[in-house]
């Protein structure tokens, strides 16, 4: 080897323009975006996220990038997907993107979900935009031979996003909504207790609701089950530098501070302070 040659370096994340291949409105609130990206981005794992440089919507100028979880990635096709809810200026800007235009994406960032090969069945419980973060877990679990039961919560039936993806990956799906009262904590608890009792829950996974997180923490403690939570926190850099995303975590009886973008966004469910 030439002693003067630079060491080979494969970046784990990069900022690069990605071409819009498809951009579809799912309902009044959510959009599905498919991008052609480089191999680094397309190698993203479920639970990781990207910092998106959102275009300016008319009359507005979103400051800083916006964090968005990976919804799908196909390394063979070089694509990454996002499923997002229009919340403010940044996501309003995203919604203006047309097929053929480019979006600057920085990632993949953070630590994603992990699966224990000893698990046979997991339970995934999410709400709202959190369902987008959890959806790619369905494929990851299927490839690992782990069965998934997904409890999907939303305000109304048309806002239950990711249901088709969970079903396509072979998950059993239960949708609960505010409109018919089925999302009430007591009812979700009944569903989760039934899954634990029938041996269909080796671990919990959750995102999108502090109330659902607390419920699963309580059940996980009661039945000595592991769990993981993907946390959503306001972010600036997304790179572990600015410390604006620090939250409290309970680790071995002590409160410790961790950066959601760097130490997570996926954390041990038992450590999260909900
Ligand atoms: C790691 C991570 C992954 C995420 N993944 C997704 C996803 O897959 N799909 C999706 O729809 N959204 C996701 N979000 C939330 C998304 O980042 C925010 O909705 C977005 O930044 C809002 O930007 P905005 O300019 O449109 O709205 P803003 O005007 O900035 O805010 C509008 C509203 O959204 C809230 N908000 C702003 N930033 C966040 C944030 N980081 N987390 C939660 N709420 C926020 C604000 O408090 C305000 O109420 C994720 C957030 C994080 C931290
Ligand atoms: S957003 Fe800057 S450290 Fe996490």
């Amino acid at each position: 080897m030439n002693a003067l040659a630079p060491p080979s370096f494969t970046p784990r994340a990069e900022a690069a323009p990605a071409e819009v291949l498809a951009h579809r409105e799912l309902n009044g609130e959510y959009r599905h975006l498919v991008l052609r990206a480089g191999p680094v981005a397309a190698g993203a794992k479920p639970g990781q996220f990207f910092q998106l440089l959102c275009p300016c919507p008319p009359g507005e100028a979103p400051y800083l990038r916006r964090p968005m979880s990976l919804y799908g990635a196909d390394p063979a096709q070089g694509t990454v997907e996002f499923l997002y809810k229009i919340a403010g200026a940044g996501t309003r800007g995203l919604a203006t993107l047309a097929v053929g235009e480019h979006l600057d994406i920085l990632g993949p960032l953070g630590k994603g979900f992990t699966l224990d090969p000893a698990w046979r069945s997991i339970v995934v419980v999410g709400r709202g935009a959190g369902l987008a973060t959890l959806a790619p877990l369905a494929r990851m679990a299927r490839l690992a031979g782990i069965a998934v039961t997904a409890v999907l919560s939303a305000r109304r039936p048309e806002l239950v996003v990711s249901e088709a993806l969970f079903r396509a990956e072979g998950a059993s799906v239960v949708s609960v909504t505010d409109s018919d009262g089925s999302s009430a904590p007591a009812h979700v608890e009944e569903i989760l207790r039934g899954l634990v009792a029938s041996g269909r829950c080796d671990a919990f996974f959750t995102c999108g609701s502090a109330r659902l997180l607390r419920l699963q923490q309580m059940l996980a403690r009661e039945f000595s089950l592991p769990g993981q939570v993907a946390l959503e926190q306001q972010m600036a850099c997304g790179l572990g530098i600015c410390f604006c995303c620090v939250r409290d975590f309970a680790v071995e009886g002590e409160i410790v501070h961790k950066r959601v973008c760097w130490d997570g966004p996926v954390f041990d469910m038992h450590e999260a302070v909900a």
Side-chain angles (χ1 to χ4, degrees):
M1 193 176 79
N2 180 350
L4 296 177
S8 66
F9 172 69
T10 309
R12 288 192 303 153
E14 66 183 9
E19 182 190 351
V20 178
L21 296 179
H23 197 182
R24 195 163 61 93
E25 182 176 344
L26 300 180
N27 52 50
E29 295 186 2
Y30 289 90
R31 301 272 198 289
H32 179 207
L33 180 62
V34 184
L35 305 171
R36 189 195 317 280
V40 175
K45 300 285 180 277
Q48 288 192 296
F49 70 100
F50 286 78
Q51 284 280 64
L52 310 183
L53 192 59
C54 301
C56 296
E60 297 178 280
Y63 183 57
L64 300 171
R65 291 173 181 256
R66 298 297 194 265
M68 206 58 71
S69 295
L70 179 79
Y71 182 66
D74 185 336
Q77 300 291 325
T79 56
V80 291
E81 299 175 41
F82 300 100
L83 192 155
Y84 66 94
K85 178 179 176 176
I86 299 180
T91 43
R92 272 196 293 276
L94 272 189
T96 65
L97 281 169
V99 170
E101 290 186 326
H102 287 77
L103 172 69
D104 191 298
I105 64 173
L106 166 61
L109 302 171
K111 297 183 175 64
F113 298 107
T114 52
L115 293 174
D116 184 332
W119 293 338
R120 301 282 31 103
S121 313
I122 58 170
V123 172
V124 174
V125 187
R127 181 167 167 91
L131 299 176
T133 303
L134 295 167
L137 248 183
R139 178 146 211 257
M140 188 180 173
R142 181 176 62 74
L143 294 175
I146 297 172
V148 174
T149 305
V151 181
L152 312 180
S153 175
R155 297 198 315 279
R156 299 190 304 277
E158 70 274 19
L159 300 178
V160 181
V161 289
S162 306
E163 184 172 355
L165 194 149
F166 274 108
R167 288 193 193 281
E169 297 294 347
S172 304
V173 176
V174 185
S175 298
V176 294
T177 60
D178 298 354
S179 50
D180 67 5
S182 55
S183 62
H187 184 240
V188 177
E189 181 175 344
E190 198 181 308
I191 295 169
L192 298 184
R193 284 187 181 278
L195 290 167
V196 174
S198 60
R200 289 165 66 192
C201 181
D202 293 325
F204 286 113
F205 289 81
T206 195
C207 183
S209 160
R211 200 173 65 172
L212 289 173
L213 168 60
R214 284 192 295 272
L215 172 60
Q216 289 165 88
Q217 284 176 320
M218 187 260 289
L219 294 173
R221 268 195 299 272
E222 183 178 334
F223 296 102
S224 300
L225 292 168
Q228 292 167 35
V229 57
L231 292 174
E232 288 187 3
Q233 184 76 5
Q234 299 269 10
M235 289 181 183
C237 71
L239 299 167
I241 299 165
C242 72
F243 283 73
C244 93
C245 64
V246 167
R247 278 178 70 142
D248 287 351
F249 292 82
V251 182
E252 294 170 3
E254 306 237 320
I255 293 294
V256 299
H257 308 299
K258 295 189 184 186
R259 290 160 290 177
V260 172
C261 72
W262 185 257
D263 301 301
V266 176
F267 292 91
D268 181 337
M269 179 185 286
H270 294 283
E271 294 185 355
V273 178

